[in-house]
Amino acid sequence: SAMSSLEQLKASGTLVVADTGDFETIAKFKPRDATTNPSLILAAAKMPQYKSVVDAAIEKAKAGATIDEQVEIAMDQLFVSFGAEILKVVEGRVSTEVDARLSFDKQRQIEKALKLISMYEAAGVSKERVLIKLSSTWEGIQAAAELEKKHGIHCNLTLLFSFAQAVACAEAGVTLISPFVGRIMDWYKAKTGKSYEAAEDPGVHSVTKIYNYYKKHGYKTVVMGASFRNTGEVLALAGCDLLTISPALLQQLDNMQDEVPVLLKEETAKATDTERISLDEAGFRWLHNEDEMAVHKLSEGIRKFAEDAVKLETIIREKLQ
């Protein structure tokens, strides 16, 4: 029988990652890794089948002295508990996000990352199986640089929309970046009213450019395309180091038998003609600011994750009282 598009994607050398907190749905796709974010954890926490995970986090939080402390403990515990459950289903790594409200505070992002890793270790999970997700702000990237160098903690830099963000991440020596695809396309579609085929999709172009730049200049940081709107965007990035894909799109890819040519290749990347650039803080802020889409999408992404964190805290607060 013909190979499904999902099987072909895996055969292309791309590591397939499941983008969800709903760990019961992903086993059948056999993803290597999984990624979560505050919005995905909120969605999973509302599902009846995960009530026991939420209740256990609430129970542990009662050790906190004040209600605010209890809420913070419960939030951290919830993120780690979902991560630990996911790791029973995937053989690789899980990505766990640092509170987006800390996106502009390097020190507090470092402290939260260390806290999450120590909670994982207390649950018997090695730090090698966890990627700490941080917003790709200047402060988030510098926090990641320190976590990687000083603590050997692997970081996944998310909400990445501009080439400037990708350059700064490479220079910081982070383990992995998550450049977004669908949200870039959303912005251009809203601005121009155009619908984009995969070949001219600006989100696909962004990830391709970043992948080529990283491979051309020998950076070790790996590229994991994220935020997909359709299977066309996913398949247009076949050959990328990793792609993180929602269960709904994994299902569609599993049901399809379209040919999956490998489009991103190291040898093609090495043949591209780009100058290696270096960015200090001022250079980063300037270059990122030149990209209207990226400025809009990074700030919106942080606000949305923060909003969902608040919603999750509200649910926790009610359960604690």
Side-chain angles (χ1 to χ4, degrees), residues 23-295:
F23 51 87
E24 288 177 8
T25 59
I26 60 179
K28 61 177 169 183
F29 304 118
K30 299 191 170 49
R32 214 285 306 261
D33 291 359
T35 50
T36 64
N37 65 41
S39 308
L40 293 172
I41 297 289
L42 172 66
K46 288 175 168 172
M47 295 178 186
Q49 63 266 42
Y50 300 127
K51 187 179 182 302
S52 63
V53 181
V54 178
D55 290 347
I58 300 287
E59 224 20 72
K60 282 205 171 159
K62 290 183 176 162
T66 65
I67 184 83
D68 287 347
E69 259 178 54
Q70 290 178 0
V71 169
E72 191 177 350
I73 295 168
M75 284 282 280
D76 291 346
Q77 192 58 56
L78 203 53
F79 279 57
V80 169
S81 296
F82 271 101
E85 289 297 329
I86 286 165
L87 288 175
K88 294 174 186 171
V89 184
V90 302
E91 61 179 89
R93 300 172 297 190
V94 69
S95 289
T96 295
E97 194 143 342
V98 164
D99 192 326
R101 291 168 292 183
L102 306 178
S103 294
F104 303 104
D105 189 329
K106 176 187 162 185
Q107 210 43 49
R108 286 185 68 197
Q109 286 177 97
I110 291 169
E111 286 161 14
K112 179 63 85 181
L114 293 171
K115 181 92 213 296
L116 292 168
I117 290 294
S118 74
M119 289 171 87
Y120 267 115
E121 287 176 339
V125 175
S126 150
K127 71 181 197 309
E128 293 309 311
R129 295 195 71 197
V130 181
L131 285 165
I132 292 292
K133 260 176 112 171
L134 297 155
S135 304
S136 301
T137 53
W138 179 256
E139 296 79 8
I141 297 166
Q142 301 318 305
E146 188 168 316
L147 286 164
E148 297 267 5
K149 284 189 195 78
K150 266 199 198 166
H151 303 282
I153 289 172
H154 302 295
C155 298
N156 167 353
L157 277 284
T158 189
L159 295 176
L160 195 149
F161 302 99
S162 72
F163 188 63
Q165 289 173 299
V167 169
C169 286
E171 291 197 291
V174 309
T175 296
L176 178 151
I177 60 165
S178 294
F180 281 31
V181 180
R183 292 195 201 184
I184 290 182
M185 190 269 287
D186 293 344
W187 188 87
Y188 282 100
K189 191 176 175 179
K191 192 148 175 84
T192 64
K194 272 177 60 179
S195 285
Y196 295 91
E197 287 304 306
E200 62 261 7
D201 188 305
V204 170
H205 288 177
S206 170
V207 176
T208 304
K209 177 183 176 179
I210 291 164
Y211 173 91
N212 287 341
Y213 180 83
Y214 275 23
K215 303 309 176 204
K216 161 89 182 180
H217 299 291
Y219 288 110
K220 298 272 186 289
T221 301
V222 292
V223 179
M224 179 170 72
S227 141
F228 294 103
R229 295 291 172 256
N230 52 61
T231 55
E233 286 181 331
V234 176
L235 298 179
L237 292 171
C240 192
D241 299 320
L242 310 91
L243 296 174
T244 187
I245 307 164
S246 68
L249 287 177
L250 286 171
Q251 187 63 65
Q252 285 182 37
L253 290 164
D254 203 29
N255 294 341
M256 285 164 50
Q257 293 186 344
D258 299 33
E259 285 292 309
V260 182
V262 180
L263 296 172
L264 272 59
K265 297 184 179 133
E266 224 162 304
E267 50 276 23
T268 315
K270 288 203 162 74
T272 57
D273 186 27
T274 55
E275 287 298 306
R276 180 172 174 151
I277 64 171
S278 190
L279 297 174
D280 61 4
E281 183 177 352
F284 167 82
R285 293 195 185 282
W286 177 265
L287 190 58
H288 178 72
N289 193 65
E290 286 288 279
D291 186 336
E292 185 189 351
M293 172 278 299
V295 171

